[in-house]
């Protein structure tokens, strides 16, 4: 939250401009017109009073265990958290304001989460590809597959996750700096578990490559995979350019001169569309059931995310293009 240019209890910080004092519930007229506030912070679950602020200090000064990133301040116990940029005078409160606090739990940076959940699949897949001991029978230790599609699949999988790691470091700009620490275990279980499951079968000594359409199927799948990887990267660059460094500004994404971004004409979240296409190509390339299952689960999850973002766009921007669908043009 913010008070005349200075931030006040939010998930980030708590301070006050020098010309303001929170010491009285009344409005005073001094040499400068100043509105004074008294602020009460209650626990969102128990409604117990945590502190009463008549002189603004950071909340974590009262409770050191609740550092800034794990604070959620809201007007209603079951309401949404106030944004860091919210201004106290602009909120629907009187000069005596009551806010509710919720502990978000231990936090971890988004960059750390992404590096961990993407680095794991990269390393795990390579362990199965090189057939390190204790995975398959001893006679297969450090042997290589005779099928060229197995080597191609390893290159595609490695390229995908290397791309994700580099985008995390140099492309993505996060609107939120942290996420709950517990989520990293859930995310890593999902990505690492599926990577190991897929890699086990694709690199298995008894793996059988596509036989119905053979090499033609693999080549078409490779084209689909690479096309969608370039498209996904193009969308990430376009989204990055919408948000200046250090800003939380949200704008409507529109197509750029890059043809891969023209899908914005029909879809709100084309990064998910291209991501789905990449894994469809990988499924077609390997003709492996665990890969198909991973693609299906990913499609369901990305559809949920895409619908949520689509609703946010419609709610926030009155002039949002009406022809756009969340993830699949004219379908979904």
């Amino acid at each position: 939250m913010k008070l005349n240019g200075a931030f006040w209890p939010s998930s980030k910080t708590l301070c006050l401009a020098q010309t303001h004092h929170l010491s009285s519930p009344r409005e005073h007229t001094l040499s400068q017109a100043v509105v004074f506030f008294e602020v009460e912070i209650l626990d969102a679950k128990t409604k117990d009073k945590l502190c009463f602020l008549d002189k603004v200090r950071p909340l974590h000064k009262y409770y050191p265990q609740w550092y800034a990133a794990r604070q959620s301040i809201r007007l209603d116990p079951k309401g949404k958290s106030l944004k860091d940029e919210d201004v106290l005078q602009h909120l629907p409160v009187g000069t005596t304001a009551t806010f509710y606090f919720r502990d978000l739990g231990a936090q971890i940076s988004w960059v750390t989460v992404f590096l961990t959940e993407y680095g794991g699949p990269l390393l795990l897949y390579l362990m199965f590809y090189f057939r390190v001991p204790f995975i398959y029978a001893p006679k297969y230790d450090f042997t290589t597959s005779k099928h060229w599609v197995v080597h191609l699949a390893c290159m595609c999988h490695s390229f995908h996750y290397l791309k994700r790691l580099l985008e995390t470091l140099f492309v993505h700009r996060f609107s939120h700096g942290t996420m709950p620490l517990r989520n990293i275990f859930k995310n890593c279980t999902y990505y690492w578990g599926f990577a190991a499951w897929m890699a086990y079968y694709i690199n298995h000594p008894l793996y059988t490559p596509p036989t119905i359409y053979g090499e033609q199927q693999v080549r078409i799948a490779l084209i689909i995979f690479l096309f969608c990887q370039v498209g996904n990267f193009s969308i990430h660059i376009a989204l990055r350019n919408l948000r200046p460094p250090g800003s939380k500004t949200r704008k409507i994404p529109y197509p750029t001169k890059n043809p891969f971004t023209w899908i914005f004409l029909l879809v709100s979240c084309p990064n998910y569309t291209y991501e789905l296409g990449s894994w469809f190509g990988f499924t077609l390339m390997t003709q492996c059931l665990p890969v198909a299952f991973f693609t299906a689960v990913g499609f369901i999850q990305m559809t949920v995310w895409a619908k949520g973002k689509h609703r946010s766009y419609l709610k926030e921007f009155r002039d949002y293009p009406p022809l756009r669908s969340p993830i699949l043009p004219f379908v979904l």
Side-chain angles (χ1 to χ4, degrees):
M1 290 170 51
K2 200 173 185 183
L3 181 59
N4 281 4
F7 288 92
W8 188 80
S10 71
S11 58
K12 295 298 180 187
T13 187
L14 181 63
C15 60
L16 191 64
Q18 293 180 353
T19 58
H20 291 77
H21 305 277
L22 298 188
S23 60
S24 170
R26 301 180 182 83
E27 183 174 335
H28 297 269
T29 303
L30 302 174
S31 57
Q32 296 179 347
V34 179
V35 178
F36 294 82
F37 294 90
E38 289 182 344
V39 179
E40 189 177 44
I41 306 294
L42 307 181
D43 187 289
K45 293 183 179 179
T46 64
K47 308 300 187 298
D48 293 337
K49 182 186 293 186
L50 298 178
C51 60
F52 183 84
L53 305 177
D54 60 347
K55 293 183 179 179
V56 175
R57 297 177 63 203
L59 184 59
H60 67 268
K61 295 293 184 180
Y62 296 90
Y63 300 92
Q65 72 274 23
W66 294 332
Y67 49 88
R70 65 187 294 170
Q71 298 173 19
S72 169
I73 304 295
R74 54 193 70 185
L75 293 174
D76 183 85
K78 298 182 180 180
K80 293 183 178 180
S81 299
L82 296 173
K83 299 178 181 179
D84 295 337
E85 58 269 23
D86 284 339
V87 180
L88 184 57
Q89 287 93 331
H90 297 168
L91 295 175
V93 297
T95 52
T96 300
T98 299
F99 294 95
Y100 295 89
F101 165 83
R102 185 179 293 274
D103 180 15
L104 298 178
Q107 300 289 299
I108 187 172
S109 74
W110 276 96
V111 172
T112 301
V113 172
F114 278 11
L115 293 179
T116 304
E117 66 185 35
Y118 297 156
L122 176 63
L123 297 177
L124 282 171
Y125 195 100
L126 291 175
M127 290 174 61
F128 285 91
Y129 174 74
F130 290 112
R131 294 176 180 172
V132 299
F134 309 111
I135 295 179
Y136 304 113
K139 65 179 181 179
Y140 296 116
D141 290 352
F142 297 111
T143 60
T144 58
S145 175
K146 61 182 179 180
H147 304 298
W148 69 281
V149 67
V150 172
H151 307 298
L152 180 62
C154 180
M155 288 187 286
C156 289
H157 189 275
S158 299
F159 173 80
H160 174 74
Y161 281 102
L162 278 172
K163 168 183 163 293
R164 285 194 170 190
L165 290 170
L166 292 174
E167 286 176 338
T168 299
L169 293 173
F170 303 109
V171 176
H172 294 320
R173 288 173 178 164
F174 303 99
S175 58
H176 299 286
T178 63
M179 68 182 297
L181 177 62
R182 60 182 178 274
N183 286 4
I184 195 173
F185 301 104
K186 177 181 64 177
N187 292 11
C188 287
T189 298
Y190 172 77
Y191 284 105
W192 294 23
F194 267 115
W197 190 28
M198 293 187 295
Y200 176 82
Y201 284 99
I202 296 174
N203 298 287
H204 197 284
L206 301 181
Y207 168 77
T208 302
T211 55
I212 300 178
Y213 297 103
E215 293 186 4
Q216 183 180 5
Q217 175 179 333
V218 175
R219 290 193 178 95
I220 293 175
L222 177 61
I223 293 173
I224 295 173
F225 177 84
L226 293 177
F227 178 87
C228 291
Q229 285 289 286
V230 175
N232 180 265
F233 176 74
S234 299
I235 298 301
H236 286 163
I237 293 295
L239 293 175
R240 177 184 186 274
N241 292 337
L242 286 178
R243 177 175 292 164
S247 169
K248 294 185 178 182
T249 302
R250 283 172 56 89
K251 300 179 182 178
I252 300 176
Y254 287 104
T256 67
K257 295 180 180 180
N258 184 343
F260 286 97
T261 67
W262 295 353
I263 192 174
F264 269 126
L265 293 171
L266 302 174
V267 174
S268 293
C269 302
N271 51 322
Y272 296 147
T273 309
Y274 283 124
E275 181 78 6
L276 174 62
S278 294
W279 286 109
F280 172 76
F282 195 73
T283 302
L284 192 64
M285 177 190 302
T286 59
Q287 201 167 289
C288 182
L289 184 60
V291 180
F293 189 71
F294 176 70
T295 302
V297 174
F299 172 57
I300 294 172
Q301 180 60 73
M302 286 186 289
T303 299
V304 173
W305 290 336
K307 286 185 175 181
K309 290 186 177 181
H310 184 72
R311 286 193 298 268
S312 296
Y313 282 137
L314 291 174
K315 183 178 180 180
E316 186 172 355
F317 304 105
R318 294 183 178 181
D319 57 341
Y320 191 74
L323 292 180
R324 293 188 187 181
S325 300
I327 188 170
L328 296 179
F330 308 114
V331 178
L332 186 64

